[in-house]
Amino acid sequence: MDKLVIEGGKPLSGTIVIQGAKNAALPILAASMLASGTSTIEHVPELLDISVMLSILRELGCQAEHKDGTVVVQTEKAHSPHVPEALMRQMRSSIFLMGPLLARFGEAKVYQPGGCAIGERKIDLHLQGLQALGAEIEEEGNVIICRAKELQGADIHLSFPSVGATENIMMAAVLAKGRTTISNAAREPEIQDLQNFLIQMGAKIIGAGTDTITIDGVEELSPCRYRVIPDRIVTGTMMVAAAVTRGNVTLLKTQPAHLTSLIHVMRRAGVQITIDDDIIMISNSGRPKALERVVTSPYPAFPTDLQSQLMVLLSLADGVSVLKETIFEGRFMHVGELTRMGADIRVDLNAAFIRGVKRLYGATVEATDLRAGAALVIAGLAANGRTIVEQVHHIDRGYDRIEETLSHLGASISRYSPVTNN
Ligand code: EPZ
């Protein structure tokens, strides 16, 4: 398993371009199945999760190539509604292939995606939504089979604004008969990106980005060309990395409007952030201020995917901060590892009480999930001495060659692969 070796204490400086959004590209690639023909999706990052999604599309009978950030998917020959279990286990969010498969084939066979380090990751809202559209769902062990001779529009209310469930329902409803409304829908920018892709294919859909989405089913959709939005979580990760190393970094091709909550929180902590169109400039020369209380909530509130990264900033702040996680029940796996680097953090249920320290110290730490891993890299950049981050494959799921991006900004970071660096 690869490791990252980081010599900390170097302020980041320079300019980078932000990659395309993983969490927008994944549902959009799934949605390409809704039309027969060749779709071209641009600004798709080279990530483990993306390559798993392309493998699934190929297993379903599509042709899919990813070159220079552009994916070309040919779906004419798609023939199977069955997502292989091994691939589902590699990426749980392949569950949102159910909607497109059901809409295209009238059937979908998937597997319980199971939980992961950050939580149980239930899919009941996905299944309830598809059932409301007329799908019959059979569960035998960990196999889930959905069938629907014809999908009928329905009024669906989500008890929680689940991102994946909103996306699955949208992708099934665009080819259903009649009107579907999704109330208490997730409002994330990735939902808006999926809506814009579906509209490009000929779907009739409005409301993404608000809590009510209305879809009028159409007979058929056409393949299209589309460019994915920038990755707001990668942007936020780099902003925190710049701040904790007391650096001076410019991020290009971002969408600042997708990060208003993080920008507000970081400014409260005393970090200088300047915005100019699609450019975000971050500079920080002093010790961050502690923040009395930050709570993760569905968009547009503070995103759970930036909670672990912010915790590193608060670990170095002057004072005590409280960081509350309300989306996932297990998203404090990074706390133990940060404590081993000298952070002073106490967890009580879903709240972390963080007493800022003057400095962190390098250690050998283990990434347990994607964003916890990113947080440990950020901590290593800020720490005195050497940090070794193990299980780096978690980080590669969401960051395209993170060590190259950070080296470009002046970090001392290198990757060791067991085979090549003996
Ligand atoms: C998406 O996951 C993202 N993944 C996650 O990003 C992100 O953390 C999450 O949304 C919240 O913003 C992708 O887009 C691929 P949810 P998703 O359904 O769709 C519960 C990353 O780091 N829930 O909004 O799985 C669930 O258990 C990843 O890039 C149900 O109870 O998130 C969780 O507690 C991590 N029943 C909460 O809702 C359901 O049917 C949020 O889940 C579905 C979800």
Side-chain angles (χ1 to χ4, degrees):
M1 291 291 184
D2 287 7
K3 296 178 183 173
L4 291 175
V5 179
I6 303 163
E7 301 298 341
K10 295 176 176 56
L12 296 186
S13 68
T15 300
I16 53 170
V17 175
I18 292 298
Q19 67 185 57
K22 164 179 87 82
N23 291 351
L26 288 171
I28 285 171
L29 288 168
S32 69
M33 287 285 297
L34 290 164
S36 178
T38 301
S39 287
T40 302
I41 298 135
E42 298 166 352
H43 204 208
V44 179
E46 311 261 346
L47 302 171
L48 281 183
D49 274 10
I50 296 292
S51 51
V52 172
M53 177 57 82
L54 298 183
S55 302
I56 292 172
L57 292 175
R58 293 182 191 114
E59 284 288 323
L60 300 175
C62 303
Q63 289 177 28
E65 296 308 320
H66 191 183
K67 195 166 176 304
D68 303 330
T70 295
V71 171
V72 176
V73 191
Q74 293 169 295
T75 69
E76 299 92 326
K77 298 196 174 68
H79 53 74
S80 160
H82 174 192
V83 180
E85 183 173 15
L87 289 171
M88 274 214 74
R89 294 172 68 82
Q90 284 185 53
M91 184 184 64
R92 58 172 314 286
S93 44
S94 33
I95 196 71
F96 49 52
L97 274 156
M98 275 196 297
L101 291 174
L102 205 46
R104 174 145 182 190
F105 295 112
E107 186 184 342
K109 182 179 174 185
V110 297
Y111 295 84
Q112 284 289 354
C116 64
I118 63 176
E120 190 187 346
R121 312 296 295 272
K122 293 195 297 185
I123 60 166
D124 54 326
L125 300 177
H126 296 244
L127 300 178
Q128 287 162 20
L130 297 177
Q131 275 172 320
L133 295 171
E136 282 164 25
I137 292 174
E138 270 173 65
E139 294 183 61
E140 293 149 24
N142 71 336
V143 180
I144 304 171
I145 299 173
C146 309
R147 289 190 185 88
K149 284 190 192 58
E150 187 177 71
L151 290 169
Q152 294 285 343
D155 291 333
I156 298 167
H157 177 81
L158 292 176
S159 55
F160 177 85
S162 155
V163 171
T166 302
E167 291 165 343
N168 238 333
I169 296 164
M170 285 165 72
M171 292 188 279
V174 289
L175 287 176
K177 287 258 176 303
R179 172 164 288 191
T180 295
T181 58
I182 308 170
S183 53
N184 196 28
R187 299 166 53 188
E188 275 72 1
E190 292 77 25
I191 307 274
Q192 298 173 62
D193 218 25
L194 176 61
Q195 169 176 288
N196 294 337
F197 176 73
L198 292 168
I199 290 171
Q200 196 84 335
M201 294 176 98
K204 289 189 176 19
I205 177 170
I206 56 169
T210 74
D211 61 5
T212 304
I213 297 174
T214 305
I215 299 158
D216 287 314
V218 294
E219 286 292 313
E220 193 179 28
L221 293 173
S222 314
C224 69
R225 173 183 287 272
Y226 190 76
R227 181 177 177 81
V228 166
I229 54 172
D231 193 310
R232 62 190 168 98
I233 305 302
V234 171
T235 307
T237 304
M238 295 304 158
M239 289 169 66
V240 174
V244 299
T245 58
R246 302 197 184 183
N248 207 324
V249 169
T250 298
L251 305 175
L252 305 179
K253 299 199 185 309
T254 70
Q255 283 211 0
H258 294 166
L259 286 143
T260 45
S261 174
L262 175 71
I263 290 166
H264 174 70
V265 161
M266 289 181 73
R267 280 176 172 160
R268 273 174 46 206
V271 178
Q272 269 198 319
I273 296 174
T274 314
I275 294 164
D276 177 8
D277 191 20
D278 64 351
I279 298 170
I280 299 176
M281 289 162 271
I282 307 98
S283 67
N284 181 42
S285 51
R287 193 173 176 195
K289 296 188 194 89
L291 298 175
E292 200 175 309
R293 183 178 161 80
V294 178
V295 184
T296 67
S297 290
Y299 192 90
F302 190 86
T304 174
D305 289 352
L306 286 171
Q307 178 260 104
S308 57
Q309 299 91 317
L310 181 68
M311 189 179 283
V312 180
L313 185 73
L314 298 179
S315 295
L316 290 164
D318 182 7
V320 178
S321 307
V322 180
L323 187 45
K324 204 167 174 194
E325 170 61 53
T326 69
I327 305 292
F328 291 108
E329 64 275 25
R331 204 166 203 175
F332 280 149
M333 302 288 284
H334 42 287
V335 170
E337 299 300 87
L338 290 176
T339 307
R340 294 179 57 241
M341 297 178 74
D344 180 353
I345 306 168
R346 180 173 57 80
V347 169
D348 180 12
L349 296 175
N350 66 344
F353 298 84
I354 305 152
R355 181 181 301 281
V357 294
K358 283 207 168 57
R359 62 183 56 76
L360 295 173
Y361 297 91
T364 297
V365 291
E366 184 174 323
T368 50
D369 59 271
L370 168 52
R371 306 304 174 184
L376 295 176
V377 171
I378 292 174
L381 295 172
N384 278 25
R386 170 173 293 185
T387 296
I388 298 174
V389 182
E390 300 180 328
Q391 304 297 326
V392 171
H393 60 279
H394 288 293
I395 302 171
D396 294 335
R397 288 189 46 218
Y399 295 85
D400 185 356
R401 291 175 288 256
I402 195 168
E403 71 277 11
E404 289 180 17
T405 305
L406 293 170
S407 300
H408 180 75
L409 293 174
S412 168
I413 177 171
S414 39
R415 179 184 291 256
Y416 285 79
S417 306
V419 177
T420 55
N421 289 76
N422 281 333

